[in-house]
Amino acid sequence: METQQETSLSFFGPAYREVAVGRIATLATDAPLKLECGADIRSFPLAYQTYGTLNAAKSNAILVCHGLTGDQYAASIHPVTGKPGWWESLVGPGMAIDTNRFFVIATNVIGGCMGSFGPKSVNPATGKPYGLDFPVVTIGDMVRAQALLLDQLGIDRLFCVLGGSMGGMITLAWAALFPQRVFSAIPIATSARHSAQNIAFHEIGRQSIMIDPDWNGGRYYDTRKFPIKGLSVARMAAHVTYLSENALHRKFGRALQDREQVSFGFEADFKVESYLRHQGASFVERFDANSYFYITRAMDYFDLTENGGLARHFLNTKTRFLVISFSSDWLFPTSESRSIMRALNAVAANVSFAEIATDKGHDAFLLDEPEFSAAVRGFIQGAAEKCKIA
């Protein structure tokens, strides 16, 4: 079942309001989807957007996978912020992922807060939002839910799946779980397992939310008092990890914010402080604190290197890979991408590798980086020739 324009009750910032989230598919209507935590879910919603047209052979579908704080609005105006999609630099007519040629699908992952099944969904057993009673989900669960959507759309095989950061984890999981359904894959600025450092950063964010006086054990939906201060601090801390030292210095240095000298106080004297406060304040208007818990946990649990090593997940794979990293990314450094490449080489997979030289840090995959766009465009075009996609 699918609703073309369904209104989802959403919780953003200090207000409880309705937000139109576009297309919503109702999945697992006949049989439940078993999550890795052991829970079964059925008849659950998955919100998504599409761009371009599916060809008659259904051979031109590309799945783009969002990062931790992304959603289905990859290449269209976001209904909450009014801002352009998070990947408009890459997806669109004539772009590296050309919507004149390809049918692009972007979903909001389960556990998210833009219409997909998540902690603010209503628990039928109580008539109230799940909150922390929502089952813990994994990257693999997110992929299996997306696979159910493709089944409903009648798409047996993806021409390409790609994404950065958490989206790169989802890309790798697609190629590992459903190799027969993935012709090509582009994992970007990612890792085959979440590092101890990155788990630590996530824990700092979650603890920031939990000590907010409005946290209420995750049951803030009842009080309509949202833990916006804690979520804002979590976003500020995370955002620093997305940038590089050089980028911060180039953009802000030690410049003062709207003053000629320091105040000898604790207001935002420096422009970088004001910038981070703005990032935190704008984030709480579009994201749910409980979803932050669940999605960061899914990333923490991701590990394709256990139980026999990374290479075993790609034995006999026919998928073509392009692994991309960025030279100044210290959150998911190039060494992580090289580990993925070595594992793929070990099983004689068709794999290419590109390290993009930039000082923009981890967030470079979301920015207008010509060398990055060119690498994606070239790989897509070469793969399309193999698939004979016009």
Side-chain angles (χ1 to χ4, degrees):
M1 295 174 59
E2 178 193 338
T3 303
Q4 291 293 329
Q5 186 69 34
E6 183 166 316
T7 298
S8 172
L9 287 179
S10 298
F11 303 83
F12 293 105
Y16 174 97
R17 63 179 183 267
E18 294 184 349
V19 179
V21 295
R23 292 179 170 178
I24 296 182
T26 303
L27 306 176
T29 56
D30 297 326
L33 173 64
K34 181 170 284 295
L35 304 179
E36 290 184 31
C37 71
D40 290 339
I41 59 174
R42 66 163 65 239
S43 298
F44 63 88
L46 193 75
Y48 70 103
Q49 291 291 109
T50 64
Y51 310 92
T53 302
L54 186 64
N55 64 18
K58 297 186 177 181
S59 62
N60 67 333
I62 294 179
L63 179 67
V64 296
C65 307
H66 66 74
L68 166 59
T69 63
D71 51 44
Q72 65 270 37
Y73 290 94
S76 50
I77 298 298
H78 197 283
V80 176
T81 66
K83 295 181 178 179
W86 52 269
W87 235 0
E88 280 206 339
S89 62
L90 205 68
V91 178
M95 306 295 284
I97 302 174
D98 189 355
T99 51
N100 289 331
R101 188 180 189 187
F102 300 104
F103 179 66
V104 178
I105 308 161
T107 80
N108 182 214
V109 297
I110 56 173
C113 54
M114 276 300 292
S116 289
F117 188 52
K120 65 182 179 61
S121 299
V122 174
N123 183 347
T126 64
K128 295 181 178 181
Y130 280 95
L132 293 191
D133 291 330
F134 188 75
V136 172
V137 296
T138 66
I139 297 296
D141 295 330
M142 295 173 181
V143 168
R144 294 181 187 95
Q146 291 173 329
L148 290 177
L149 173 63
L150 295 184
D151 292 343
Q152 192 173 109
L153 296 176
I155 298 172
D156 295 327
R157 192 185 194 198
L158 288 165
F159 164 67
C160 186
V161 56
L162 74 160
S165 195
M166 184 184 81
M169 293 178 172
I170 294 172
T171 298
L172 288 172
W174 257 103
L177 293 172
F178 298 102
Q180 73 283 2
R181 300 189 72 168
V182 180
F183 178 76
S184 63
I186 312 176
I188 305 161
T190 195
S191 173
R193 57 94 177 100
H194 220 209
S195 69
Q197 172 184 265
N198 291 349
I199 294 170
F201 280 123
H202 280 172
E203 177 62 5
I204 290 170
R206 291 189 293 261
Q207 289 295 324
S208 298
I209 296 168
M210 291 176 72
I211 63 174
D212 189 304
D214 293 326
W215 165 240
N216 195 32
R219 294 180 175 83
Y220 48 85
Y221 306 121
D222 297 334
T223 65
R224 308 287 175 87
K225 293 181 179 179
F226 302 91
I228 57 175
K229 293 180 180 178
L231 182 58
S232 176
V233 171
R235 173 62 171 178
M236 290 167 67
H239 195 73
V240 172
T241 71
Y242 304 151
L243 307 173
S244 71
E245 182 180 2
N246 286 341
L248 280 171
H249 179 74
R250 172 170 45 79
K251 191 170 184 177
F252 303 107
R254 290 181 54 82
L256 299 179
Q257 179 70 36
D258 300 328
R259 63 197 67 194
E260 295 182 356
Q261 60 185 18
V262 299
S263 67
F264 294 99
F266 298 99
E267 293 303 315
D269 275 0
F270 297 96
K271 284 187 176 181
V272 68
E273 294 174 307
S274 179
Y275 169 76
L276 288 176
R277 293 184 186 191
H278 170 73
Q279 288 293 325
S282 60
F283 182 62
V284 301
E285 289 297 320
R286 68 175 180 85
F287 214 83
D288 179 56
N290 280 334
S291 281
Y292 196 87
F293 267 62
Y294 279 88
I295 297 177
T296 56
R297 205 49 162 170
M299 293 180 71
D300 292 347
Y301 284 160
F302 184 67
D303 188 357
L304 288 180
T305 68
E306 60 183 0
N307 300 325
L310 177 58
R312 74 171 184 86
H313 291 282
F314 302 105
L315 285 171
N316 303 315
T317 184
K318 302 300 182 186
T319 302
R320 303 164 64 91
F321 291 88
L322 170 62
V323 181
I324 299 178
S325 70
F326 298 95
S327 60
S328 56
D329 184 352
W330 57 274
L331 189 66
F332 290 93
T334 292
S335 58
E336 300 280 10
S337 292
R338 290 192 183 278
S339 294
I340 295 169
M341 181 186 64
R342 284 195 294 268
L344 290 169
N345 279 330
V347 293
N350 186 327
V351 56
S352 303
F353 172 73
E355 181 186 33
I356 308 301
T358 176
D359 72 349
K360 295 177 182 176
H362 181 64
D363 259 3
F365 81 92
L366 296 171
L367 304 175
D368 186 9
E369 280 284 348
E371 188 179 348
F372 168 54
S373 296
V376 173
R377 184 189 296 273
F379 178 79
I380 292 283
Q381 288 180 343
E385 290 174 5
K386 292 290 184 180
C387 271
K388 296 181 172 56
I389 296 177

